[in-house]
Amino acid sequence: QVQLVESGGRLLQAGGSLTLSCAASGRTFSSYAMAWFRQAPGNERDFVAAISKDGGRTYYADSVKGRFTISRDNAKNTVLLQMNSLKPEDTAVYYCAAANSGSVYLSRNYDYWGQGTQVTVSS
């Protein structure tokens, strides 16, 4: 069982930077690939970024590649999403998720989800 709690979301202007944090409970954190998804009003939940169990591989949606960076600290059971050059279209609720297996791009492969944190980027 893994519990995930996101934090760091807020309102900011376009062009700004923000770091989201996801704190995980449980002793098996390093057994899970971790990811961030986001969901804007009226849209489906979309893949943003993922990181492998050992942190050696990262994956990004094309829309955030070069602007967002995902990282993890298995000793501290945390996952971070550093977001730079934010755009109004990045506005969404951001969710942290944990997957034991399967493609990291697919939300159905994720076993645990956080409650989400709101990021709003004004133009």
Side-chain angles (χ1 to χ4, degrees):
Q1 186 79 8
V2 176
Q3 292 184 326
L4 304 172
V5 179
E6 303 97 334
S7 61
R10 64 179 178 88
L11 170 66
L12 71 166
Q13 291 187 331
S17 298
L18 189 65
T19 298
L20 303 182
S21 179
C22 174
S25 65
R27 294 176 292 177
T28 60
F29 178 71
S30 60
S31 299
Y32 295 89
M34 300 297 297
W36 290 92
F37 285 76
R38 66 187 182 186
Q39 187 168 20
N43 290 359
E44 295 184 350
R45 191 169 296 187
D46 294 327
F47 172 80
V48 175
I51 189 166
S52 61
K53 298 174 184 180
D54 63 359
R57 288 165 292 167
T58 55
Y59 311 83
Y60 296 95
D62 288 343
S63 60
V64 307
K65 202 170 292 184
R67 298 189 298 124
F68 290 11
T69 302
I70 188 171
S71 61
R72 68 186 296 164
D73 185 334
N74 284 348
K76 296 182 178 179
N77 283 14
T78 58
V79 180
L80 300 179
L81 184 68
Q82 172 68 44
M83 305 185 292
N84 298 323
S85 303
L86 282 160
K87 305 174 182 180
E89 51 263 44
D90 294 317
T91 295
V93 177
Y94 283 72
Y95 296 91
C96 177
N100 186 260
S101 63
S103 170
V104 298
Y105 296 100
L106 302 177
S107 60
R108 66 172 181 262
N109 291 333
Y110 287 81
D111 307 293
Y112 302 102
W113 293 84
Q115 83 289 348
T117 187
Q118 176 71 47
V119 174
T120 303
V121 184
S122 64
S123 57

